[in-house]
């Protein structure tokens, strides 16, 4: 018996090929699967899932999450529920979803709101929140619109429970170096993964400090050649992605040797951009 089989045996379950699923002796089963593409959720069409668990929810799209919620149902006697874990990501849809629990100024969770239940429904794709389910009843079907004998639907309840590495003392006892590894991360990742900051973005001063660079009023005479080049952003922005922007850069050569560009940014009239039919953006210098 290999290690994985022994693990399942201790749990009282039976491993299945690929170690993606095991079944309990009483008939229950747990299955691990992926959602590689947005369309992968349709593989679960018609499924009845009592518990749905997401690991790193910010790695899933909003479409994937809300579609899987539709399969959170069962007649086994256990009330269906969803659990998700994640690290802070200011650019994810999850940051907007959890905004009520996060201080907009500091980006940190609001302590007195931790674990507080809120309720929501989606109306035409937009989320409507309330502190009590009764406040959302006007958005739900009326009793006369339902077949006889059916109860009114209830808004979905949500809560957010923040945690840091210090809330996992068992981990730190076994791996005390883990805290040092988090402290060694670059500032942005450290603030997110160790500090729990949901509102920090890459910005001026986080990676390069202004005092590191000399600022001049004009291009030094020793620069005999200047080259501008572009990284064109070709991905169209949609509801479910956050594509990069087109960026440009100056490089200079001084007496035959490459030098960093110390010149001011090019004048607006020296740049132009055009939208092409294939969705690309072309930008070039007008010098």
């Amino acid at each position: 018996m290999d290690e994985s089989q022994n693990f399942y045996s201790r749990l009282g379950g039976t491993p299945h090929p690929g170690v993606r699923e095991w079944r309990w002796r009483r008939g229950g089963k747990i299955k691990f699967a992926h959602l590689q593409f947005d369309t992968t959720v349709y593989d679960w069409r018609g499924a009845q899932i009592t518990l749905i668990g997401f690991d790193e929810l910010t790695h899933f799209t909003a479409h994937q999450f809300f579609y899987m919620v539709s399969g959170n149902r069962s007649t086994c006697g256990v009330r269906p529920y969803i659990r998700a874990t994640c690290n802070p990501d200011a650019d994810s849809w999850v940051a907007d979803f959890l905004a009520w629990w996060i201080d907009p100024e500091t980006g940190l969770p609001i302590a007195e709101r931790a674990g507080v239940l809120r309720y929501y429904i989606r109306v035409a794709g937009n989320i409507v929140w309330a502190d009590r389910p009764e406040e959302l009843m006007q958005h739900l079907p009326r009793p006369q619109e339902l077949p006889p004998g059916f109860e009114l639907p209830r808004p979905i309840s949500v809560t957010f429970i923040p945690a840091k590495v210090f809330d996992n003392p068992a981990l730190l006892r076994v791996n005390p170096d883990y805290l040092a590894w988090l402290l060694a991360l670059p500032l942005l990742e450290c603030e997110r993964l160790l500090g729990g900051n949901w509102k920090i973005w890459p910005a001026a001063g986080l990676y390069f400090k202004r005092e590191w660079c000399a600022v001049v009023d004009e291009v030094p005479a020793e620069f005999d050649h200047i080259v501008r080049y572009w990284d064109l952003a070709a991905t169209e922005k949609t509801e479910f992605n956050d594509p990069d922007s087109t960026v440009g850069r100056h490089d200079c050569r001084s007496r035959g040797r490459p030098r960093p560009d110390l010149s001011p940014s090019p004048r607006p009239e020296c740049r132009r951009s055009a939208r092409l039919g294939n969705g690309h953006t072309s930008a070039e210098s007008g010098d």
Side-chain angles (χ1 to χ4, degrees):
M1 179 180 294
D2 62 26
E3 184 177 351
S4 63
Q5 289 175 320
N6 186 46
F7 170 74
Y8 286 112
S9 177
R10 292 197 304 269
L11 290 177
T14 303
H16 280 234
V19 198
R20 294 178 56 194
E21 175 183 309
W22 78 76
R23 298 187 181 185
W24 306 101
R25 292 170 180 168
R26 295 184 178 181
K29 65 180 179 181
I30 295 179
K31 184 173 183 178
F32 293 90
H34 67 83
L35 295 177
Q36 183 175 4
F37 306 108
D38 248 14
T39 55
T40 306
V41 294
Y42 301 125
D43 295 343
W44 296 88
R45 185 180 285 130
Q48 297 186 49
I49 312 172
T50 307
L51 164 63
I52 300 177
F54 290 90
D55 182 33
E56 289 296 342
L57 184 60
T58 56
H59 295 179
F60 298 85
T61 67
H63 169 71
Q64 289 175 322
F65 175 76
F66 289 111
Y67 187 91
M68 293 304 297
V69 169
S70 69
N72 191 213
R73 53 186 179 143
S74 176
T75 58
C76 70
V78 177
R79 182 177 179 180
Y81 61 107
I82 297 173
R83 295 292 183 268
T85 64
C86 67
N87 286 297
D89 184 347
D91 295 312
S92 72
W93 66 271
V94 181
D96 294 330
F97 190 70
L98 299 177
W100 185 81
W101 287 271
I102 305 300
D103 188 318
E105 297 297 327
T106 66
L108 302 177
I110 301 173
E112 56 269 25
R113 294 184 179 181
V116 176
L117 277 179
R118 296 202 81 206
Y119 302 84
Y120 83 89
I121 61 171
R122 297 186 84 196
V123 179
N126 298 315
I127 297 179
V128 181
W129 290 96
D131 295 327
R132 297 182 299 275
E134 297 80 13
E135 299 173 8
L136 298 172
M137 300 308 292
Q138 69 270 23
H139 299 289
L140 298 172
R142 293 171 295 181
Q144 57 270 30
E145 296 173 340
L146 298 174
F150 283 86
E151 296 182 3
L152 289 173
R154 294 176 296 184
I156 300 174
S157 62
V158 178
T159 193
F160 171 65
I161 302 174
K164 295 183 178 180
V165 66
F166 304 106
D167 297 304
N168 192 352
L171 170 65
L172 292 179
R173 281 196 299 268
V174 175
N175 189 355
D177 294 334
Y178 182 61
L179 178 58
W181 298 346
L182 292 177
L183 289 168
L185 288 169
L187 177 61
L188 181 69
E189 286 77 12
C190 186
E191 285 294 317
R192 288 179 174 178
L193 302 183
L194 179 59
N197 194 321
W198 280 88
K199 296 295 183 182
I200 187 169
W201 285 274
L206 290 183
Y207 290 111
F208 298 98
K209 297 185 180 299
R210 185 178 181 87
E211 57 267 24
W212 295 351
C213 305
V215 179
V216 296
D217 296 327
E218 60 184 10
V219 179
E222 62 189 81
F223 287 173
D224 57 14
H225 190 69
I226 299 176
V227 176
R228 171 171 285 279
Y229 57 91
W230 300 89
D231 179 5
L232 302 180
T235 303
E236 293 287 348
K237 183 173 177 60
T238 69
E239 181 183 357
F240 305 113
N241 73 353
D242 183 25
D244 294 331
S245 302
T246 294
V247 296
R249 176 188 171 109
H250 265 166
D251 273 343
C252 304
R253 186 179 66 182
S254 174
R255 297 176 184 174
R257 294 174 298 174
R259 288 279 302 273
D261 181 12
L262 304 181
S263 64
S265 300
R267 301 184 305 276
E269 62 269 21
C270 292
R271 295 179 296 179
R272 63 176 181 269
S273 62
R275 196 70 172 175
L276 305 181
N278 59 2
H280 290 67
T281 299
S282 173
E284 59 182 336
S285 172
D287 296 340

